Structure formats: structure tokens, C-alpha cells
């Protein structure tokens, strides 16, 4: 088990920036993949970005070149730097920790943080 607490969301204007943080209650090196997902009103949750223990990153096409995911293992924290924000980035952003155990995938989620981009 792990508790994930997101912070850093808020209201920002078109073209602005925000940095989200995800603080984990346990060593994040235990988790193969850490990531950020988002869910806009009336839509399904979607992948934003992931980062592996070795630092390999993966991004949704819609955020490539604008968002950067990073991790600080010493602080058990994962970050999402979001630049050039657009109204379509408006959503609740969730932190995810993924662990592979005995052939199963175990996902852990935070409570989410709201990001609102005004036009």
C-alpha cells in the first residue's frame, strides 16, 4: 500500500504554467512506473505521462513538448511540469503508482488535483 498526495493544481490562464507534485508515503523506487493521468468532465481518464525507475518517459501526443515528468527518489516525489497550457488541458490530474507483483498489475491512485485553464 502507498498513499499518494497530489498538489500544485489551480486556475491558470491560456499559455501559463503549473507544476504538479505527487508525494508518496513509501519509497517510489518500489514502483516500476509512476505516472500522471487526467480526467476531464464527462470523459474517461487518460494517460498524460509516465516515468520508469530508470528514467524512461512516455507522453501522450497531446502534451509532448509542453509537459515534462520527473521523479526525485530521495524525496519520494514525482513532478509534472506543465507549460503552454491550453483550455483542453482542464481536468482533474491523478498521480499513479504501478507495481508488478506475481504476474499482476497493482495500481495505486491519489485523490487528484484540479487544473483549470481559462481562455
Amino acid at each position: 500500500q502507498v498513499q499518494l498526495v497530489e498538489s500544485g493544481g489551480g486556475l491558470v490562464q491560456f499559455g501559463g504554467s503549473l507544476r504538479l507534485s505527487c508525494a508518496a508515503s513509501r519509497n517510489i523506487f518500489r514502483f516500476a512506473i509512476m505516472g500522471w493521468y487526467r480526467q476531464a468532465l464527462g470523459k474517461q481518464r487518460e494517460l498524460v505521462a509516465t516515468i520508469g525507475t530508470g528514467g524512461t518517459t512516455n507522453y501522450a501526443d497531446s502534451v509532448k513538448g509542453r509537459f515534462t515528468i520527473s521523479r526525485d527518489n530521495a524525496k519520494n516525489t514525482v513532478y509534472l511540469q506543465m507549460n503552454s497550457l491550453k483550455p483542453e488541458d482542464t481536468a482533474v490530474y491523478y498521480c499513479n503508482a504501478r507495481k508488478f507483483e506475481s504476474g499482476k498489475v497493482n495500481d495505486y491512485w491519489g485523490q487528484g488535483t484540479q487544473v483549470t485553464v481559462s481562455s
Side-chain angles (χ1 to χ4, degrees):
Q1 281 283 6
V2 63
Q3 278 72 52
L4 303 172
V5 179
E6 301 99 334
S7 61
L11 174 64
V12 65
Q13 288 188 333
F14 177 85
S17 298
L18 284 173
R19 189 177 83 153
L20 305 183
S21 298
C22 170
S25 61
R26 304 188 77 180
N27 191 331
I28 60 173
F29 214 79
R30 294 170 173 264
F31 300 92
I33 301 171
M34 299 292 298
W36 288 94
Y37 290 71
R38 67 187 182 187
Q39 187 167 17
L41 199 61
K43 295 188 177 181
Q44 289 190 328
R45 192 172 296 190
E46 63 177 4
L47 169 74
V48 175
T50 62
I51 185 167
T53 52
T56 301
T57 58
N58 178 51
Y59 295 94
D61 287 343
S62 59
V63 307
K64 279 181 183 175
R66 300 189 298 123
F67 291 10
T68 302
I69 188 170
S70 61
R71 60 193 291 164
D72 186 334
N73 292 330
K75 294 183 178 179
N76 295 325
T77 301
V78 178
Y79 303 98
L80 184 69
Q81 178 66 43
M82 305 186 295
N83 298 328
S84 302
L85 282 161
K86 305 175 183 180
E88 50 262 46
D89 295 317
T90 295
V92 178
Y93 284 70
Y94 296 92
C95 181
N96 169 265
R98 175 164 290 180
K99 201 170 185 180
F100 300 98
E101 296 175 297
S102 304
K104 293 194 302 181
V105 177
N106 290 317
D107 280 317
Y108 303 90
W109 297 93
Q111 294 296 310
T113 185
Q114 176 71 47
V115 171
T116 303
V117 184
S118 63
S119 56

